[in-house]
Amino acid sequence: MTPAELSRTVLRSVRGAVEEQELSVPVPARIVVQPPPRPGCGDYASNVALQLAQQAGRPALEIAEILRKRLSGSAGIARVEIAGPGFLNFTLGDGAQVALVREVLAQGESYGRPDRSHGKPGRPGAAEQSSPPVPAPARGAREAVVAEALARIDAVAGSAGRQAAVPGEHPALVPAPYDLATLIARLGVDEARWVLLRPAAQDPVRVPERPVQRESNPRFRVQYAYARARALGRYARELGFGSEPGDVGVPVSGQVAGEGPSAGSAGAVQTLQSFHTLLATYPSVIETAARLRAPDRVVRHLEATADAFFRWHDGYPPLPVGEQKPLAVHRARLALAEAGRTVLANGLRLLGISAPEHL
């Protein structure tokens, strides 16, 4: 179950409660579910009961309990709990993560569209290279690149992203210190676009002296994560196995980057959860970026996804080690790596930045 599917499930529970007169409130157009603020609070959370409480004239905890009863036992939801003043915390069923990977791989380059269920399945690796930018002489460098990225984002988000945005409307931006041709000559196409798209609209553009091809550079890190995921597929084919979504098994203890031995497998499991969450929330990030006219939301999501990929990869190696034979967990891990690759490629394409197979 994806966040969009969970949101629709919660919305149906509200509509059912209204129709059966358990609640007397206007049914909201949409309900937001998002990752909880801290570990141990389920997979997703929603403040819908708090939002409805004032309109209903009833305590939020009372409304939360009505919705909890309606949602308990829903397909794909293992547990619904009430936290704090009336938050709903959702723990998804055991098959939710596998289903997510299947969905991402089935949708391919269409993953991220709000109506993905009606899209055509994409082919992994297809159309993952972006076209070079076309400078707009009438606008500054930043305005031209942001407008181009927003046009791509709008095309993917569709009507869902335009609910609170005027199509073609662009944010007021702090100007870049150089024109686009100068930036491209100095940094190259990919780095120039990343530098212009990464800051929020109100923040200045910080131009490096030169592009740095190492992991301290967020743009390089995202492209490297994509290239690494592609390489895993090549190595797997050489070993004679392919991907198949499934149980990724237990982590290799103490191998997650930044985790000491005392952290054990708990840190790795949390890293796995974070990686899945970032893949699942990619479509909602695209919608938000369109609504808020903020392509920097996509940039930051790609950075977080790349970081989570590397941390997950360390704890759950997708390839056999030494004399080990390929197992079902290796096929499942390879499928998850391919899902991560798909999200990275789709996001880079929206930003007009290449997804190279080799770095």
Side-chain angles (χ1 to χ4, degrees):
M1 175 175 284
T2 65
E5 291 168 338
L6 178 58
S7 176
R8 289 193 290 270
T9 299
V10 178
L11 184 57
R12 283 195 296 270
S13 75
V14 173
R15 185 177 293 113
V18 171
E19 290 174 352
E20 296 180 18
Q21 299 183 359
E22 284 188 282
L23 290 176
S24 180
V25 294
V27 177
R30 60 192 295 268
I31 289 175
V32 175
V33 297
Q34 55 191 4
R38 59 184 181 277
C41 297
D43 297 307
Y44 296 100
S46 176
N47 65 349
V48 60
L50 297 168
Q51 292 177 334
L52 297 177
Q54 185 172 4
Q55 295 172 312
R58 299 167 66 177
L61 285 171
E62 189 175 308
I63 294 175
E65 179 60 21
I66 291 172
L67 298 180
R68 186 195 68 78
K69 289 179 179 178
R70 286 183 163 270
L71 289 162
S72 294
S74 298
I77 299 177
R79 189 167 63 252
V80 183
E81 298 173 307
I82 300 173
F87 292 99
L88 290 172
N89 291 343
F90 303 94
T91 300
L92 303 185
D94 292 338
Q97 294 179 341
V98 177
L100 169 66
V101 174
R102 288 189 189 280
E103 179 181 3
V104 175
L105 296 181
Q107 295 299 325
E109 64 184 58
S110 295
Y111 183 67
R113 297 181 183 274
D115 194 19
R116 295 186 305 278
S117 61
H118 300 290
K120 295 181 180 179
R123 292 181 292 107
E128 288 176 348
Q129 298 295 327
S130 59
S131 301
V134 179
R139 292 179 288 195
R142 191 176 185 188
E143 288 79 3
V145 171
V146 166
E148 186 181 331
L150 283 174
R152 288 191 180 102
I153 290 169
D154 285 343
V156 170
S159 59
R162 290 194 293 270
Q163 287 176 356
V166 178
E169 179 183 338
H170 301 298
L173 302 167
V174 176
Y178 304 99
D179 62 40
L180 188 54
T182 300
L183 284 172
I184 291 176
R186 176 172 169 175
L187 302 175
V189 171
D190 286 349
E191 184 74 5
R193 293 180 69 83
W194 192 272
V195 163
L196 293 169
L197 292 168
R198 189 172 191 260
Q202 70 275 12
D203 294 335
V205 173
R206 303 187 186 281
V207 181
E209 288 296 323
R210 67 182 74 86
V212 178
Q213 295 293 91
R214 62 171 70 104
E215 291 186 44
S216 59
N217 180 348
R219 186 269 312 163
F220 175 83
R221 198 160 63 245
V222 170
Q223 289 181 315
Y224 180 47
Y226 171 83
R228 176 59 182 161
R230 292 284 289 183
L232 290 171
R234 293 195 298 271
Y235 297 149
R237 286 192 295 272
E238 292 174 4
L239 293 172
F241 76 98
S243 64
E244 177 60 37
D247 184 356
V248 298
V250 297
V252 179
S253 181
Q255 295 301 307
V256 178
E259 298 284 0
S262 62
S265 62
V269 171
Q270 183 59 43
T271 296
L272 174 64
Q273 174 64 41
S274 298
F275 189 30
H276 275 110
T277 298
L278 287 162
L279 301 185
T281 53
Y282 171 75
S284 64
V285 169
I286 302 307
E287 179 186 330
T288 300
R291 228 173 354 99
L292 300 182
R293 319 311 290 156
D296 57 287
R297 297 292 186 108
V298 180
V299 174
R300 289 197 294 273
H301 193 82
L302 294 184
E303 291 179 7
T305 302
D307 291 342
F309 167 80
F310 285 122
R311 289 172 61 82
W312 162 78
H313 173 280
D314 291 340
Y316 296 83
L319 300 178
V321 178
E323 299 299 318
Q324 188 180 27
K325 300 292 185 182
L327 303 172
V329 293
H330 296 119
R331 292 191 287 273
R333 293 170 185 176
L334 183 62
L336 181 52
E338 289 177 351
R341 183 193 79 197
T342 298
V343 167
L344 292 172
N346 290 357
L348 286 168
R349 186 168 54 252
L350 290 181
L351 301 177
I353 295 172
S354 67
E357 292 197 24
H358 304 277
L359 276 178

